[in-house]
Amino acid sequence: MCASNTDESTASLQAATTSPVPAFKLEGTVVGGAGSFAMVRHTTDSRLLQLRVGDRVDDFVVTGIESGRVVLTGTGGPVAIETWTQAAAALAPAPAPAAAKPARPSRRRSLASRAAGMAVRLVLAAAALVLLYQAWLFGWVLWYAYMPPGSTSVMRSELSRLQERDPHRRLNYQWVDYARISNNLKRAAVAAEDANFLEHGGIDWNAVEKAYDHNRQLAEAAERAVARGRKPPSRPMRGGSTITQQVAKNLFLSNSRNYLRKGQEVVITYMIELVMTKQRILELYLNIAEWGEGVFGAEAAARHYFNTSAANLSPYQSARLASMLPRPRFYDKNRGSAYLASRTDRLLRWMPGAAIP
């Protein structure tokens, strides 16, 4: 079939060189061709004609051949045959092979990629929120470097607890400047809570290690006592937090014990040490420390326990207040505690050697 068509096309080409192409009357279909020739199927008898530029068709001359288009020019001007048929695929030169398309990823792989992208975006968003929160905290640290706090996180938490029983309950809190606080209380607080206050940069790692060892030994002793059917030792746990760390906790955090809170406390501690003097840190500490149920600050504590001002506290009174700091609510209700009395005596001996800003 294809060979017959080719023979007919060749015959038509030969006829075109000696005589006009048989009556065509502009009726035909371009079915193939490339470059300088076109294959045209006659409408009446389905013959194939191979036309080149310059061939004559009735009163027309082939003046142009383009892809899918034969231009014929005669006295009436140029006309064209532009209709392609299904025969074009068989008669036209084979097209160049198309580049292989990359294999589409499987649906499972696509879902995994989207999930990974979403996870990355969530992590970045969380990191941005954490950084914004740290910047917000640092702004407040700068504020408290110069301004007294109206309240603290621990104060608000305690007030909420107290108001569950008494909606009209208020805190006993009054700010006083550093100069209006007795040096006796300053030395007692440093001796009791942070003997290396002036030397460390916010965290006393040696004290942390010692506190860990003490508390581990205490826990082991309690386990042994329980195993033997005895009463566990009543010695209190020891904290390794510095005065700066306690300021960070009281201002912004809570009394809860967990690693997340402790990590945030460390960050805030270094912020405080960066922008505040040791004197300002101690001033904040003595004004916001909890000294009993609803009692906050040196001035409120002095009046609550001794009916005097923070400026007039004696060495004994100061040592007793500092001894209460680890468990202020407990000692507020148990003022005759033997441990409180013995710790007060120890602090009285330590106070002269305590360095204060």
Side-chain angles (χ1 to χ4, degrees):
M1 183 74 174
C2 292
S4 175
N5 289 344
T6 304
D7 291 342
E8 290 181 10
S9 301
T10 305
S12 299
L13 175 61
Q14 293 173 350
T17 60
T18 57
S19 62
V21 177
F24 192 71
K25 297 181 180 180
L26 301 180
E27 295 178 351
T29 303
V30 179
V31 295
S36 61
F37 72 94
M39 301 298 293
V40 180
R41 187 179 297 282
H42 198 283
T43 301
T44 304
D45 54 15
S46 300
R47 286 177 301 157
L48 280 174
L49 301 176
Q50 180 173 310
L51 300 179
R52 297 177 181 273
V53 175
D55 289 348
R56 295 181 60 83
V57 180
D58 293 339
D59 296 328
F60 295 88
V61 177
V62 178
T63 57
I65 295 176
E66 302 172 3
S67 177
R69 190 169 187 266
V70 178
V71 179
L72 305 176
T73 302
T75 57
V79 294
I81 301 173
E82 300 181 284
T83 307
W84 287 85
T85 68
Q86 296 297 328
L91 297 173
K101 294 183 179 180
R104 295 180 62 185
S106 65
R107 182 176 179 81
R108 181 180 300 176
R109 189 173 180 181
S110 178
L111 289 175
S113 297
R114 288 199 294 269
M118 179 65 72
V120 170
R121 287 192 290 272
L122 288 175
V123 169
L124 291 176
L129 289 176
V130 170
L131 290 175
L132 286 174
Y133 179 63
Q134 301 308 311
W136 179 81
L137 288 174
F138 188 68
W140 278 109
V141 169
L142 289 172
W143 174 264
Y144 291 138
Y146 303 99
M147 302 299 294
S151 66
T152 69
S153 177
V154 172
M155 287 182 192
R156 291 187 290 272
S157 177
E158 174 65 359
L159 180 60
S160 178
R161 185 186 70 85
L162 293 174
Q163 288 184 339
E164 290 179 358
R165 295 178 296 177
D166 181 4
H168 302 290
R169 182 68 183 269
R170 294 290 180 268
L171 297 180
N172 186 1
Y173 164 64
Q174 181 181 348
W175 175 274
V176 290
D177 293 335
Y178 189 78
R180 294 173 57 195
I181 300 174
S182 169
N183 285 342
N184 293 321
L185 183 59
K186 296 170 188 175
R187 289 193 177 91
V190 169
E193 297 295 302
D194 191 358
N196 298 319
F197 175 59
L198 295 183
E199 300 174 9
H200 61 68
I203 298 176
D204 188 345
W205 295 107
N206 290 331
V208 171
E209 184 177 359
K210 291 178 181 179
Y212 174 80
D213 291 339
H214 170 83
N215 295 336
R216 179 175 53 81
Q217 293 171 8
L218 194 62
E220 292 173 354
E223 290 177 0
R224 289 194 297 269
V226 171
R228 297 172 182 174
R230 298 177 182 176
K231 183 179 179 181
S234 58
R235 290 180 297 167
M237 301 284 282
R238 183 182 298 173
S241 295
T242 64
I243 285 176
T244 311
Q245 286 178 271
Q246 293 182 59
V247 169
K249 180 201 70 175
N250 290 343
L251 281 175
F252 300 105
L253 305 172
S254 68
N255 288 323
S256 64
R257 294 178 180 271
N258 59 72
Y259 290 112
L260 181 62
R261 198 274 291 171
K262 200 67 178 177
Q264 182 64 80
E265 178 186 296
V266 170
V267 174
I268 300 173
T269 295
Y270 284 121
M271 291 181 185
I272 291 173
E273 288 281 345
L274 179 65
V275 301
M276 296 187 194
T277 64
K278 290 291 187 178
Q279 178 175 312
R280 179 59 177 176
I281 294 171
L282 185 57
E283 180 182 35
L284 279 167
Y285 175 72
L286 294 174
N287 271 285
I288 65 177
E290 184 177 14
W291 254 298
E293 189 171 75
V295 180
F296 288 87
E299 185 69 18
R303 297 191 181 280
H304 179 71
Y305 292 105
F306 305 113
N307 196 29
T308 187
S309 67
N312 294 323
L313 287 169
S314 68
Y316 172 80
Q317 292 169 337
S318 297
R320 189 168 178 84
L321 286 179
S323 298
M324 299 175 67
L325 284 169
R327 303 174 68 189
R329 297 178 201 170
F330 174 82
Y331 291 125
D332 190 6
K333 298 177 180 179
N334 298 273
R335 302 185 187 186
S337 164
Y339 176 80
L340 181 60
S342 64
R343 182 166 173 77
T344 299
D345 291 338
R346 286 198 300 272
L347 285 182
L348 281 170
R349 294 194 300 270
W350 297 345
M351 284 167 55
I356 59 174

